[in-house]
Amino acid sequence: MEEFNEYEYSVEHSKKDGRIRRLKVLLIGLYVSYCLVFLFLVLAIRLLAPLYALVVVSCAFIWFLTWRYTQPTYLYNLTSGNLTFYTIYGSRTKKKRFSTRIADASLIAPLSSPEAKGAAEGAERSYYGVSDMSSPDCYIMIFTDEDGKKCAYYFEATAKAIKILRFYNRETVVGSVRY
């Protein structure tokens, strides 16, 4: 029973995802625009030359605060029959997305299985904890949150995670994983 007390698994978001790429391009464009506008204002108002250094410092500060959102890592934690999902931005900011009891899940199945086809239809919330949706170990978990809304959670499962999920909710777990 000791092996079922706590299990944690994390996966980095795929670098080839279009949404993250668009965010990176947008942020770089905002950084450049900010620097150009700041320089233009300093030139237009004819302020002191040392203010030019403020452009570099303030842009570096803005970069430090925002660039982490282009490097998400997803973490799920299985503890005593509960699943908690976190998003970690740039290895610094950890944000809890949801927590639910494993026994409350109505379906836990591989995304490629016939049971999973159409399972997420009608889900009011979707959570993605996969590096890439085409991963062979991509699973879906359908559950109802504390607000009574149907949720779909996509995650990459390991053999140990499936073993724990099956222990706490045998009826809804379908399939197995490669490792």
Side-chain angles (χ1 to χ4, degrees):
M1 188 67 162
E2 184 66 33
E3 67 221 26
F4 292 124
N5 282 343
E6 186 167 353
Y7 177 70
E8 216 171 62
Y9 184 73
S10 66
V11 61
E12 288 188 20
H13 193 82
S14 173
K15 304 241 187 270
K16 59 184 178 182
D17 180 36
R19 186 176 58 89
I20 296 295
R21 253 194 238 157
R22 285 190 299 275
L23 180 61
K24 286 181 179 184
V25 169
L26 175 70
L27 284 176
I28 290 170
L30 288 173
Y31 301 149
V32 170
S33 299
Y34 171 78
C35 290
L36 291 176
V37 167
F38 196 95
L39 287 173
F40 176 75
L41 288 175
V42 169
L43 286 173
I45 301 174
R46 296 187 181 149
L47 292 175
L48 300 172
L51 286 179
Y52 292 119
L54 191 60
V55 172
V56 175
V57 172
S58 63
C59 192
F61 182 70
I62 292 170
W63 174 84
F64 176 76
L65 292 177
T66 59
W67 193 253
R68 71 182 78 178
Y69 297 104
T70 65
Q71 304 162 334
T73 300
Y74 305 113
L75 171 85
Y76 64 85
N77 185 331
L78 302 168
T79 306
S80 301
N82 292 317
L83 181 135
T84 307
F85 173 58
Y86 300 94
T87 303
I88 303 169
Y89 296 106
S91 301
R92 292 187 295 227
T93 307
K94 186 176 185 179
K95 184 174 181 182
K96 181 179 175 181
R97 294 297 181 181
F98 72 84
S99 184
T100 187
R101 288 176 10 114
I102 297 169
D104 293 342
S106 59
L107 175 71
I108 302 171
L111 200 54
S112 59
S113 73
E115 293 88 351
K117 302 289 188 235
E121 286 182 20
E124 297 179 50
R125 294 184 183 156
S126 294
Y127 300 98
Y128 297 91
V130 294
S131 61
D132 189 8
M133 288 299 284
S134 62
S135 171
D137 295 325
C138 187
Y139 265 64
I140 185 170
M141 177 179 178
I142 305 296
F143 65 97
T144 304
D145 66 2
E146 59 270 356
D147 298 332
K149 296 181 180 177
K150 182 179 177 183
C151 300
Y153 170 50
Y154 300 90
F155 64 103
E156 288 188 23
T158 62
K160 187 168 183 180
I162 293 300
K163 185 177 178 183
I164 294 170
L165 292 169
R166 192 171 280 136
F167 178 79
Y168 286 107
N169 195 344
R170 181 170 304 283
E171 298 83 35
T172 61
V173 179
V174 178
S176 60
V177 292
R178 297 179 298 145
Y179 56 95

